[in-house]
Amino acid sequence: MPLYSFEGVTPKVHEDAWIAPNATLVGDVTVEAGASVWYGAVLRADFTAIVVKAGANVQDNSVIHCGYDPVTEIGTGATIGHMCVVHGCTIGAEALIGNNATVQDGARIGDRALVAAGALVPPNTVVEPGTMFLGPVGQQRGPLSSGAARWVDNNAEIYQELARRHKNSARPV
């Protein structure tokens, strides 16, 4: 996995985390136990820190970049779906950011919230815990539906197990 120090700060990856061999981590990035960073993802912490909390997953081709807040944080057990842009914000525990969504600077995504695929969360938006945020410029739509709740309930555990499988068996070809 490409790890790059930046201005003397080197990424820290817990031994129980899994980082895909072509994911890139730069600077003040911390990846905690049981977390995973998938193929093609880039985490670049050159302004402030990025922390991927325990059991969280950052999926294929997503980009996490820090802003000027003290830390960009992906909460415990949270999911960042495929091809997302997460920039200078806070993602709560067990929240799910759907494929190709963008979460901008200063946004705060609550615990167990779902940002729908393709949604744009504008700067400084607060998405309340346990709610769904939809649309090209998303809006809260009330409590999670049973289908959305199923994703929030199960996705982190699914990816933790999948990461263990990749860690034990994925090899360069």
Side-chain angles (χ1 to χ4, degrees):
M1 87 194 92
L3 297 178
Y4 296 92
S5 65
F6 179 75
E7 296 180 342
V9 180
T10 300
K12 296 174 277 309
V13 177
H14 192 280
E15 65 183 19
D16 291 331
W18 183 75
I19 311 297
N22 67 340
T24 303
L25 282 60
V26 181
D28 194 3
V29 176
T30 300
V31 180
E32 295 183 353
S36 57
V37 179
W38 290 83
Y39 301 96
V42 176
L43 286 69
R44 182 166 48 94
D46 47 10
F47 293 122
T48 58
I50 296 171
V51 176
V52 180
K53 301 293 248 176
N57 63 89
V58 177
Q59 296 177 9
D60 310 70
N61 295 316
S62 286
V63 175
I64 313 296
H65 189 231
C66 52
Y68 292 102
D69 283 344
V71 65
T72 296
E73 183 174 295
I74 310 303
T76 302
T79 293
I80 307 301
H82 309 291
M83 296 182 61
C84 292
V85 176
V86 174
H87 199 279
C89 57
T90 300
I91 309 298
E94 299 179 357
L96 193 153
I97 309 303
N99 297 343
N100 206 36
T102 299
V103 183
Q104 296 183 316
D105 294 81
R108 303 283 184 252
I109 309 301
D111 294 348
R112 299 181 50 75
L114 186 146
V115 173
L120 169 61
V121 180
N124 303 311
T125 299
V126 175
V127 175
E128 297 297 329
T131 63
M132 190 178 333
F133 193 90
L134 302 170
V137 176
Q139 300 172 9
Q140 292 186 52
R141 298 289 184 167
L144 295 175
S145 66
S146 61
R150 194 168 34 258
W151 279 104
V152 172
D153 290 342
N154 297 307
N155 203 67
E157 186 175 10
I158 289 166
Y159 263 86
Q160 290 167 22
E161 175 56 29
L162 189 58
R164 283 190 283 278
R165 291 171 53 202
H166 274 262
K167 185 175 183 177
N168 292 329
S169 66
R171 303 288 180 265
V173 179

